[in-house]
């Protein structure tokens, strides 16, 4: 008997073996229902997915190619979260992130236009949406390419950002620029090239990738995730345009701590412990740019964990935004990983933060969202 066999199939076999007549067996098996918790949970996720596609319409920003979802809690909201999807997929593949965040925030979830190949166009489009929806400031959440766009938004318009959560963030570098140049030439030849998977998470996903990177899969979950990621995969046109936008950023922009000094919000970096695309040099650059950031590692998981385990990410963000007294630790990158590994359980259900990435961080001076921040409307207008 296969280990993944569900309760319904086991019950049917038992019925066929113990009933006295074929008619009795057919009657008994037809009335059986699968009450396996994992089967019910998988079916529920499928229904939620179908209801999302049927009941939540996209908005279109007049005069542009930008589309976006706008979802709010039924009992009202105080703040807005801008959710930016991973580069290898469409925003619909992150519907669970959207609906989960929308329990606490108004969520604006844009679908990146396929033709944009300059990073400033993405930032300008977000400014247009925020202005159209009368959003002065917002929290930001981005995964892979979405994290890159969110980080650049913080760089260009720091006073418009209340907080920023970055999954698998990447800083500009010449080495990564060369990687992108190679990818643009060999995109069809290397569909699952690891460095590109980090930039365009969700691209070229196979069933074995999900099995290797997410160790606690439920029954039927692998097939559900694979179907969803393939159904809402980014087109080749979008992949090329996003790689060109990444190359544009890496070759024309150099981040400095001074430019991020105006950012008065909190920043959370999310990584996966067993991610082969993790780059220590990249993380060290982030530690210089954001010495007071918090960092969290998902234990025993790979690159896909934050994408396919949205509830854990949402719980993490909620804890991050409400916990005013996260443990403050000033350590090197390797020490931080050890600290998280020792305190997390095997399924990452406990949330652990390490505050202060930089060696000289003042642990009592972590920036918080505050009042009296001057708006940068003139800078935003210039970007448009």
């Amino acid at each position: 008997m296969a280990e993944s066999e569900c309760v319904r199939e086991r019950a049917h076999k038992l019925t066929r073996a113990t009933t006295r007549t074929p008619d009795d067996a057919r009657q008994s098996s037809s009335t059986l229902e699968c009450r396996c918790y994992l089967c019910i949970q998988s079916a529920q996720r499928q229904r939620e997915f179908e209801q999302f596609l049927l009941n939540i319409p996209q908005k279109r920003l007049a005069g542009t190619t930008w589309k976006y979802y706008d979802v709010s809690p039924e009992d009202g909201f105080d703040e807005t979260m801008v959710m930016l999807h991973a580069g290898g997929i469409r925003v619909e593949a992150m519907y669970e992130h959207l609906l989960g965040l929308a329990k606490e925030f108004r969520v604006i979830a844009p679908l990146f236009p396929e033709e944009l190949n300059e990073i400033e166009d993405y930032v300008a489009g977000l400014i247009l949406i925020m202005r159209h929806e009368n959003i002065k400031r917002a929290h930001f959440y981005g995964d892979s390419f979405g994290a890159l766009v969110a980080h650049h938004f913080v760089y260009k318009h720091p006073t418009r950002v209340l907080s920023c959560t970055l999954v698998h963030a990447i800083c500009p570098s010449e080495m990564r620029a060369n990687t992108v140049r190679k990818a643009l030439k060999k995109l069809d030849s290397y569909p699952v090239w690891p460095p590109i998977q980090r930039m365009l998470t969700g691209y070229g996903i196979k069933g074995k990738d999900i099995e290797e990177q997410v160790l606690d899969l439920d029954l039927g979950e692998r097939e559900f995730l694979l179907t969803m990621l393939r159904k809402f995969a980014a087109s080749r046109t979008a992949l090329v345009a996003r790689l060109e936008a990444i190359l544009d950023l890496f070759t024309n922009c150099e981040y400095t701590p001074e430019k991020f000094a105006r950012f008065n919000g909190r920043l959370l970096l999310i990584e996966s412990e067993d991610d082969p695309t993790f780059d220590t040099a990249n993380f060290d650059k982030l530690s210089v740019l954001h010495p007071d950031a918090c960092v969290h590692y998902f234990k025993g998981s790979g690159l896909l964990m934050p994408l396919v385990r949205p509830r854990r990410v949402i719980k993490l963000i909620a804890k991050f935004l409400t916990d005013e007294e996260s443990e403050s630790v000033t350590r090197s990158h390797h020490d931080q990983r050890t600290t998280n590994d020792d305190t997390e359980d095997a399924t990452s259900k406990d949330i652990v933060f390490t505050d202060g990435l930089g060696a000289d961080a003042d642990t009592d001076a972590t920036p918080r969202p505050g009042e009296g921040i001057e708006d940068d409307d003139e800078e935003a207008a210039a970007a448009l």
Side-chain angles (χ1 to χ4, degrees), residues 158-359:
T159 61
R160 285 184 173 268
V161 183
L162 292 170
S163 75
C164 189
T165 300
L166 305 177
V167 179
H168 308 315
I170 303 174
C171 284
S173 76
E174 183 57 34
M175 180 185 72
R176 291 180 191 81
N178 290 332
T179 299
V180 175
R181 291 187 184 99
K182 293 178 182 178
L184 284 168
K185 294 179 180 179
K186 303 177 180 180
L187 188 61
D188 294 329
S189 303
Y190 295 91
V192 290
W193 202 16
I196 301 306
Q197 277 195 330
R198 183 177 179 88
M199 301 177 193
L200 302 176
T201 300
Y203 167 54
I205 294 298
K206 298 180 180 178
K208 67 176 183 178
D209 298 324
I210 298 175
E211 293 174 350
E212 292 172 356
Q213 298 181 37
V214 185
L215 302 181
D216 58 343
L217 289 171
D218 295 338
L219 294 177
E221 187 178 16
R222 172 187 176 274
E223 289 71 23
F224 170 74
L225 293 171
L226 195 59
T227 299
M228 183 176 62
L229 292 173
R230 287 179 175 174
K231 179 179 178 64
F232 294 105
S235 68
R236 191 182 188 284
T237 299
L239 294 173
V240 171
R242 289 166 196 173
L243 284 173
E244 291 175 345
I246 295 172
L247 183 60
D248 171 56
L249 172 66
F250 288 178
T251 55
N252 298 315
C253 183
E254 183 175 353
Y255 291 153
T256 62
E258 292 74 22
K259 281 294 290 186
F260 287 101
R262 294 175 61 208
F263 175 50
N264 198 37
R266 301 186 69 194
L267 189 134
L268 171 63
L269 302 174
I270 298 178
E271 294 287 349
S272 299
E273 180 191 43
D274 296 334
D275 179 8
T277 71
F278 183 88
D279 184 350
T280 302
N282 175 71
F283 192 89
D284 290 342
K285 283 189 175 183
L286 288 169
S287 72
V288 173
L289 296 175
H290 307 286
D292 295 311
C294 293
V295 59
H296 177 83
Y297 292 94
F298 280 110
K299 185 176 177 65
S301 61
L303 180 72
L304 293 177
M305 172 62 83
L307 181 61
V308 303
R309 282 290 181 266
R311 293 180 183 176
R312 294 185 187 174
V313 175
I314 293 165
K315 180 181 177 182
L316 189 64
I317 294 173
K319 177 72 172 176
F320 166 67
L321 294 178
T322 58
D323 187 1
E324 295 295 328
E325 297 181 358
S326 299
E327 181 183 1
S328 187
V329 182
T330 306
R331 300 171 184 258
S332 68
H333 156 66
H334 296 289
D335 288 338
Q336 286 172 4
R337 295 192 74 163
T338 302
T339 299
N340 277 318
D341 293 349
D342 290 341
T343 52
E344 277 188 322
D345 63 18
T347 58
S348 295
K349 291 181 180 178
D350 293 333
I351 297 172
V352 179
F353 297 114
T354 53
D355 242 349
L357 299 181

